[in-house]
């Protein structure tokens, strides 16, 4: 398997494309927006430059990685000849179902169709294609080139052969694949999101301030990043979407998103991506000040 297509050039998509390309795969990075594609390639280049400066890869490795990536806005051309397609679009069920319906029409019958969803049912996504046995979850962690874990989620109809292939290719990417069952939020977000939501509730109830809550969790629980910092890093809109998926799936009030989170997303305070969340990331702040918050 050498030909990979990644759909979506945002944070997760460009990280997944970077990782496959770095390990010698020919990658088509597909997005509807030329601007998003350009930004994705810029991000990959910047991350590769950082790896070169740290001595983890050579300049030749960097150049070969970039050569392995072709960006396209045409989905039909993008998936042509692909042996594996990894969908990394926004965490929106309707959007993902639409993409998989298109993939069903455009891809060869034996193409493995993976989704990077962090919470949505693999079985439900697979239900819109003719070969549901070829659909699987491949949930990478952010930042993809650095984080080792890949949650591999087998849907109700996913074949053992496809599961084995995805476990194997994950290892070839120098990742650690972990098989989990197809329930809302899987393992990572089923545990992480209620913690983040509870941290937001703690702030909402006036127990402590943002930095105080994060400091307690970093120093008291040895977390590398506080839960409110992490929420900003993930994106508050993504956190809200995942919590809504789990609340809808389990009908358990413990997954109901905090009103403060709902209001912040409604107000456009989405974290790093919007310049403000629980912390302020505006351009007026010194870059090193923001950087220190995540050390």
């Amino acid at each position: 398997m050498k030909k990979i297509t990644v759909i979506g050039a945002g944070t997760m998509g460009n990280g997944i494309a970077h990782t496959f390309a770095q390990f010698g795969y020919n990658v088509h990075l597909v997005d509807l927006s030329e601007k998003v594609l350009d930004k994705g390639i810029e991000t990959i280049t910047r991350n590769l430059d950082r790896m070169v400066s740290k001595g983890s890869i050579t300049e030749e490795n960097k150049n070969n990685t970039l050569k392995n990536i072709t960006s396209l806005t045409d989905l039909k051309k993008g998936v042509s000849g692909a042996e594996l397609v990894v969908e990394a679009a926004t965490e929106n069920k309707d959007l993902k179902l639409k993409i998989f319906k298109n993939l069903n029409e455009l891809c060869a019958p034996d193409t493995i169709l993976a989704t990077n969803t962090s919470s949505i049912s693999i079985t439900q996504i697979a239900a819109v294609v003719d070969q549901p046995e070829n659909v699987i979850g491949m949930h990478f962690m952010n930042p993809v080139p650095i984080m080792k874990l890949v949650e591999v989620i087998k849907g109700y109809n996913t074949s053992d052969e496809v599961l084995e292939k995805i476990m194997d290719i994950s290892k070839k990417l120098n990742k650690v694949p972990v098989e989990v069952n197809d329930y809302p939020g899987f393992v990572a977000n089923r545990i992480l999101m209620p913690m983040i939501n509870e941290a937001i509730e703690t702030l909402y109830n006036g127990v402590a301030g943002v930095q105080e809550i994060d400091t307690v969790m970093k120093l008291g629980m040895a977390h590398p990043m506080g839960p409110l910092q992490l929420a900003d890093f993930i994106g508050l809109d993504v956190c809200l979407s995942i919590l809504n998926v789990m609340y809808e799936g389990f009908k358990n009030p413990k997954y109901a998103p905090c009103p403060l989170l709902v209001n912040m997303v409604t107000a456009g305070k989405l974290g790093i991506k919007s310049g403000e969340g629980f912390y302020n990331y505006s351009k007026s702040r010194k870059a090193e000040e923001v950087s220190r918050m995540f050390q």
Side-chain angles (χ1 to χ4, degrees), residues 283 285-292:
K283 293 180 181 179
R285 298 189 66 187
K286 292 181 179 180
E288 59 267 24
E289 182 182 352
V290 174
S291 178
R292 280 198 300 271

Side-chain angles (χ1 to χ4, degrees), residues 141-163:
M141 304 294 128
N142 186 31
V144 181
I146 296 171
M147 299 293 279
K148 290 288 187 181
L149 176 66
V150 178
E151 273 190 310
V152 179
I153 308 100
K154 184 179 178 183
Y156 189 83
N157 291 307
T158 306
S159 72
D160 291 336
E161 180 184 4
V162 166
L163 174 65

